[in-house]
Amino acid sequence: MTAKIIDGIAVAASIRAECRDRIAQIVAKGGTPPGLAVILVGSDPASQVYVRNKMRACAEVGIRSYRFDYPADVDQQTVIDGIEELNADPKVHGILVQLPLPPSFDIARILRTISADKDVDGFHLYNVGGLVVGGTVFPPCTPYGVLKLLQHEKIPLEGKNVVVVGASNIVGKPMALMLMHHEATVSICHAKTKDLAQFTILADILVVAAGKPNLILPQMVRTGAVVIDVGINRTADGKLVGDVDFEGVAKKASYITPVPGGVGPMTVSMLLVNTIASCERWQRHELFDLTNYRPRLEIAQP
Ligand code: GUN
């Protein structure tokens, strides 16, 4: 068997074309075009590239983007004050703080400061809660992109065994929840999982987001499985690779995503979709009622 290679660049481009049409409709009705604020703290080279790509994609579809760079040693309160200004800014419909943040930062505190109504990354507790109970407004962009790729290829999810490798808040956990909402049987593996292969071999659909090159070898994959590689790793010779042995696994799988050119472009396109959806919500005055929600309350430790 030779896998069909899922072309994330092409699917992402078709979503961007739809984004342009949606923005044209907003503007034609006299609305403010969507605006996205992107905050980068420090000078992590990978984050610089991601932020540049996100801003370029915004320009391509007609989203206004505003970039805020802070040095790595900035005081956390300065960033919080900046976010609060953006929460009140009517030009801004989405606020994204690029992760990771420097180790001195309390990430949960930063993410809770972003208005749930502008949380286009879907990382705010309110949106995470929405994801758990179903019907979230802003699905996190990477798992949202994976779901779109599976839907684009008309790969059914209902009743399928899906194994997600990686349990991060950004990809693995929200991915598992979204797949559960589509009635898949989901297992989550992580760095402490014993004998990973005994799980992966059962997968009809394998989603890998572990950040380890060559973690998934052909003998760990069932013949005919769908393999989605979310990993982005740079090898010693500067090459970008995923978490899956692409050449080997492509001979066994029915579908596979390449790295680069698979999930990566979808993440950026879904950020554009969430930003436009946020702008449309603001224009419909359809915001969350957070009257009794107190984001500044610290969460009690169990
Ligand atoms: N760092 C890696 N992925 C992401 C993402 O989806 N959003 C943000 N804000 N930071 C990231």
Side-chain angles (χ1 to χ4, degrees), residues 47 50 54 96-100 111 121 123 141-142 170-171 267:
S47 291
Y50 296 144
K54 287 171 186 178
L96 177 150
V97 177
Q98 185 65 31
L99 302 177
L111 298 181
D121 254 331
F123 295 163
C141 303
T142 300
I170 297 182
V171 185
T267 298

Side-chain angles (χ1 to χ4, degrees), residues 187-258:
S187 310
I188 310 181
C189 300
H190 46 76
K192 299 282 163 66
T193 298
K194 288 185 201 140
D195 188 6
L196 182 62
Q198 70 171 321
F199 293 94
T200 58
I201 199 75
L202 297 177
D204 299 313
I205 302 169
L206 181 61
V207 181
V208 192
K212 279 196 188 153
N214 279 323
L215 179 67
I216 304 298
L217 303 171
Q219 61 270 31
M220 300 166 74
V221 176
R222 184 167 163 173
T223 301
V226 175
V227 180
I228 306 291
D229 191 349
V230 186
I232 303 179
N233 310 289
R234 203 169 280 281
T235 59
D237 57 0
K239 211 176 137 208
L240 271 192
V241 295
D243 294 350
V244 175
D245 164 13
F246 181 83
E247 300 299 329
V249 172
K251 294 195 179 85
K252 225 175 153 187
S254 56
Y255 291 84
I256 191 166
T257 58

Side-chain angles (χ1 to χ4, degrees), residues 51-302:
V51 164
R52 208 176 312 131
N53 287 346
K54 287 171 186 178
M55 303 207 42
R56 194 179 295 150
C58 282
E60 214 186 281
V61 300
I63 293 175
R64 293 182 182 160
S65 62
Y66 309 94
R67 177 168 170 167
F68 300 87
D69 283 87
Y70 295 97
D73 60 357
V74 67
D75 177 47
Q76 171 165 293
Q77 191 58 44
T78 306
V79 178
I80 288 175
D81 293 345
I83 294 171
E84 278 170 353
E85 266 180 47
L86 294 167
N87 283 343
D89 186 338
K91 296 190 303 299
V92 171
H93 307 95
I95 303 171
L96 177 150
V97 177
Q98 185 65 31
L99 302 177
L101 286 167
S104 64
F105 273 71
D106 176 352
I107 295 181
R109 173 94 170 82
I110 296 286
L111 298 181
R112 283 206 304 283
T113 306
I114 297 171
S115 161
D117 286 306
K118 298 191 177 187
D119 173 39
V120 288
D121 254 331
F123 295 163
H124 187 285
L125 285 181
Y126 197 88
N127 285 314
V128 174
L131 192 62
V132 174
V133 295
T136 187
V137 170
F138 300 118
C141 303
T142 300
Y144 194 10
V146 171
L147 209 58
K148 285 279 170 192
L149 283 181
L150 293 170
Q151 287 167 344
H152 179 267
E153 298 298 333
K154 301 190 168 48
I155 294 166
L157 296 172
E158 196 182 302
K160 298 292 174 191
N161 284 341
V162 184
V163 176
V164 179
V165 181
S168 70
N169 290 339
I170 297 182
V171 185
K173 286 185 213 165
M175 182 82 260
L177 286 163
M178 286 180 193
L179 292 163
M180 281 167 65
H181 289 306
H182 285 81
E183 293 173 291
T185 303
V186 183
S187 310
I188 310 181
C189 300
H190 46 76
K192 299 282 163 66
T193 298
K194 288 185 201 140
D195 188 6
L196 182 62
Q198 70 171 321
F199 293 94
T200 58
I201 199 75
L202 297 177
D204 299 313
I205 302 169
L206 181 61
V207 181
V208 192
K212 279 196 188 153
N214 279 323
L215 179 67
I216 304 298
L217 303 171
Q219 61 270 31
M220 300 166 74
V221 176
R222 184 167 163 173
T223 301
V226 175
V227 180
I228 306 291
D229 191 349
V230 186
I232 303 179
N233 310 289
R234 203 169 280 281
T235 59
D237 57 0
K239 211 176 137 208
L240 271 192
V241 295
D243 294 350
V244 175
D245 164 13
F246 181 83
E247 300 299 329
V249 172
K251 294 195 179 85
K252 225 175 153 187
S254 56
Y255 291 84
I256 191 166
T257 58
V259 178
V263 175
M266 292 299 290
T267 298
V268 181
S269 282
M270 300 331 288
L271 173 67
L272 307 178
V273 168
N274 277 350
T275 305
I276 296 165
S278 178
C279 175
E280 291 167 344
R281 277 181 91 237
W282 278 86
Q283 276 157 16
R284 291 194 304 264
H285 306 286
E286 189 190 288
L287 303 178
F288 295 124
D289 178 6
L290 295 176
T291 326
N292 296 314
Y293 179 80
R294 294 183 180 78
R296 285 183 175 266
L297 272 184
E298 291 313 314
I299 293 166
Q301 295 299 318

